[in-house]
Amino acid sequence: MLTNKDLMKEVTDYAERVSSHEMQVAMKVHTHVRRYLGDFLFREGFIEIPPVILSPITDPLNHPTLDPTFTCYGHNYQLTKSMIFHKQLAVLGYDKIFSFSPNLRFEPLERVKSGRHLFEFTQLDLEVRNASRDDVMALMERMYAGLMAYCVETLKDDLASIGRTLTVPAAPFRRVGFLDAKEQYGESFENDLSRDSTDPLWIVDIPLLDREFYDREDPERPNILLDMDLLYPEGYGEASSGGEREWEYAQIMKRIEKKEQDPLDFCVLVDLAQEGKIVPSAGFGIGIERLVRYICGFDRIEMAALFPKVPGKLCI
Ligand code: ATP
Ligand code: ASP
Ligand code: MG
């Protein structure tokens, strides 16, 4: 049970965290990262949309989370796990959109061991109307390499003060097939590939049931998705996920059924698709705390967040 004493202990810890040298650097990096990414996307012609915190529809994800719902004005709302469906709706009005989107995912407790999971984090989430997977992969490569070059130039002394040396990767990044990687490394292939690599790399050709229903099935290769994950090098694991989206009604319904989910949970998307109003698009989301963690070379993601939400812990 929460007592004032427990809370005070936490608050005391926070006071130490906030003034530590690592946190000073982390928040400076965080400030530069958000500014760089926002400016980069502005130059690329993107519109920034405000984040959505509560909605009747949100990302079903590809793994279970503990999902509280809120009843307000007689309607059920969920906390945003990702803005995927709002992105698909927003591109009906704008060609290129992004949001710095707070996401709440009450992750299974064992995920705390990964060092890269919080239960509240921020995603830079973007979507481009009529884009292909290759288009958004090239966009990510420009953005990622540009950000690393910027950090090496602007934040060199700050990073050196915490013992971090960054390198700037050259595009295009290596692409590795999901099934090939699994065959070579086994179930832990993402962590192993990330650990063995000195540059970021893509995982592609992901089987249909291994990702969410909204990522598009390749019409040329049934059961393989037109989506991708980006892995950080040096063992930092997954940086980003994204892909082309399903937009045709019959295909959306087929995919929801294959995942044994309920179309009613995705009502706005399904209804608009039935009216033929959803358009082709592609996009991705990249977690900001994971990005700051990687740039700073921290052991754990909580070192990259001022008020980190660590699964299982009492966090203010
Ligand atoms: P992982 O496989 O590492 O658990 P995920 O595939 O469940 O991640 P996505 O649903 O693809 O995550 O979310 C998009 C991006 O949001 C991730 O690539 C990551 O950068 C970030 N992200 C997802 N979950 C978390 C989390 N619990 N804490 C911090 N960042 C996260
Ligand atoms: N936002 C999505 C997610 O959280 C990523 C994407 O754009 O596909 O999974
Ligand atoms: Mg992912």
Side-chain angles (χ1 to χ4, degrees):
M1 200 178 73
L2 173 63
T3 63
N4 283 343
K5 213 171 132 208
D6 289 334
L7 192 55
M8 280 317 293
K9 163 90 175 56
E10 295 285 335
V11 171
T12 310
D13 291 345
Y14 283 116
E16 280 164 24
R17 284 176 65 77
V18 169
S19 47
S20 72
H21 178 64
E22 282 75 12
M23 190 50 73
Q24 305 279 311
V25 174
M27 285 301 109
K28 185 168 176 185
V29 169
H30 181 261
T31 304
H32 280 264
V33 162
R34 284 182 67 134
R35 280 199 65 173
Y36 180 90
L37 297 175
D39 288 348
F40 171 88
L41 293 172
F42 179 74
R43 288 196 302 274
E44 293 261 343
F46 279 73
I47 293 289
E48 180 169 4
I49 62 168
V52 170
I53 311 286
L54 283 173
S55 174
I57 53 168
T58 193
D59 196 327
L61 303 180
N62 199 42
H63 64 278
T65 48
L66 311 169
D67 297 331
T69 54
F70 294 84
T71 307
C72 314
Y73 309 118
H75 300 296
N76 286 337
Y77 288 90
Q78 300 177 66
L79 292 163
T80 294
K81 289 189 270 183
S82 96
M83 276 177 61
I84 180 64
F85 303 124
H86 296 84
K87 293 199 298 177
Q88 284 189 271
L89 298 193
V91 293
L92 303 180
Y94 310 94
D95 283 344
K96 300 174 172 188
I97 57 99
F98 75 95
S99 191
F100 285 105
S101 161
N103 290 183
L104 284 129
R105 301 184 185 179
F106 295 94
E107 303 279 8
L109 265 184
E110 63 273 13
R111 285 200 159 200
V112 82
K113 291 193 210 116
S114 73
R116 62 170 198 272
H117 291 95
L118 298 172
F119 63 87
E120 179 184 314
F121 62 94
T122 298
Q123 251 192 96
L124 169 63
D125 217 352
L126 65 80
E127 198 72 14
V128 183
R129 182 176 171 134
N130 289 327
S132 67
R133 178 176 68 170
D134 282 342
D135 292 337
V136 291
M137 288 170 83
L139 174 77
M140 171 64 100
E141 289 171 352
R142 285 198 297 285
M143 187 174 88
Y144 184 109
L147 175 64
M148 295 306 147
Y150 172 85
C151 289
V152 165
E153 199 185 309
T154 314
L155 299 168
K156 196 173 181 196
D157 293 343
D158 296 289
L159 294 177
S161 76
I162 53 169
R164 181 64 164 156
T165 315
L166 268 188
T167 54
V168 182
F173 303 164
R174 184 159 65 106
R175 294 185 184 198
V176 180
F178 183 99
L179 291 173
D180 296 341
K182 205 168 172 177
E183 196 179 303
Q184 195 183 340
Y185 288 93
E187 284 301 325
S188 65
F189 69 92
E190 286 187 6
N191 288 338
D192 295 350
L193 268 172
S194 171
R195 188 199 56 222
D196 291 354
S197 186
T198 50
D199 283 314
L201 70 148
W202 296 108
I203 302 284
V204 291
D205 298 340
I206 302 173
L208 184 136
L209 287 177
D210 283 286
R211 289 295 179 269
E212 294 86 340
F213 79 82
Y214 52 74
D215 282 344
R216 185 167 180 234
E217 184 176 12
D218 189 340
E220 313 289 322
R221 292 180 304 167
N223 290 313
I224 297 293
L225 298 175
L226 283 168
D227 67 356
M228 71 288 177
D229 287 349
L230 182 71
L231 302 185
Y232 287 117
E234 303 169 58
Y236 288 91
E238 184 182 301
S240 167
S241 286
E244 288 181 32
R245 316 302 181 187
E246 295 290 7
W247 55 281
E248 290 158 304
Y249 177 68
Q251 188 65 17
I252 290 176
M253 292 302 279
K254 179 184 110 179
R255 296 291 308 285
I256 292 177
E257 195 186 328
K258 285 204 173 186
K259 290 293 265 188
E260 299 178 358
Q261 288 165 341
D262 183 350
L264 278 179
D265 290 340
F266 314 107
C267 54
V268 182
L269 178 87
V270 170
D271 290 353
L272 285 173
Q274 192 167 22
E275 292 170 29
K277 288 187 179 155
I278 298 297
V279 295
S281 67
F284 58 75
I286 177 165
I288 297 297
E289 294 82 358
R290 288 189 189 185
L291 183 53
V292 173
R293 173 196 177 206
Y294 170 72
I295 292 169
C296 293
F298 290 144
D299 285 348
R300 299 191 53 85
I301 191 169
E302 49 265 40
M303 297 171 76
L306 193 58
F307 300 112
K309 297 291 194 299
V310 182
K313 265 195 83 177
L314 172 65
C315 304
I316 62 166

